[in-house]
Amino acid sequence: MSRSGHVGTYSYTVHGAGCRFVSDNGIEVDVDFAADGREVFDLWRLLCYGLSLPEPLDVTDEDLRSAVRSLQPPLTEVQPGWFSVAS
């Protein structure tokens, strides 16, 4: 896999431990990969996603924490502050 390119309507750039996807309309999705290959994300990545939406969502860390907690399951905290979709 190339370190950058396009998949459908998204461009991607591989970085450090993950990959950042940006849609044609500027929506960003950034994930890291855990040692077992699972996609993981933290609250900062959720905030970046929300701010990149056509109608940006600027929320507090506490709002994000509360939202993530309300989604457990299907989300699981794989290490402190990092989340993944439960398999």
Side-chain angles (χ1 to χ4, degrees):
M1 179 172 155
S2 174
R3 297 205 45 91
S4 63
H6 287 84
V7 175
T9 62
Y10 284 82
S11 62
Y12 70 88
T13 305
V14 175
H15 61 75
C19 191
R20 179 176 176 247
F21 299 89
V22 180
S23 72
D24 289 345
N25 63 353
I27 297 173
E28 297 179 22
V29 176
D30 191 343
V31 297
D32 275 4
F33 299 104
D36 63 5
R38 282 186 292 178
E39 298 89 0
V40 296
F41 62 90
D42 60 1
L43 298 181
W44 179 80
R45 284 169 174 73
L46 283 179
L47 178 61
C48 291
Y49 167 76
L51 292 172
S52 75
L53 294 172
E55 292 185 31
L57 298 173
D58 188 8
V59 296
T60 67
D61 279 355
E62 189 51 44
D63 289 337
L64 290 172
R65 276 188 190 79
S66 177
V68 169
R69 283 187 201 115
S70 75
L71 293 171
Q72 291 178 328
L75 295 181
T76 184
E77 192 166 10
V78 295
Q79 62 185 24
W82 288 87
F83 304 89
S84 184
V85 175
S87 43

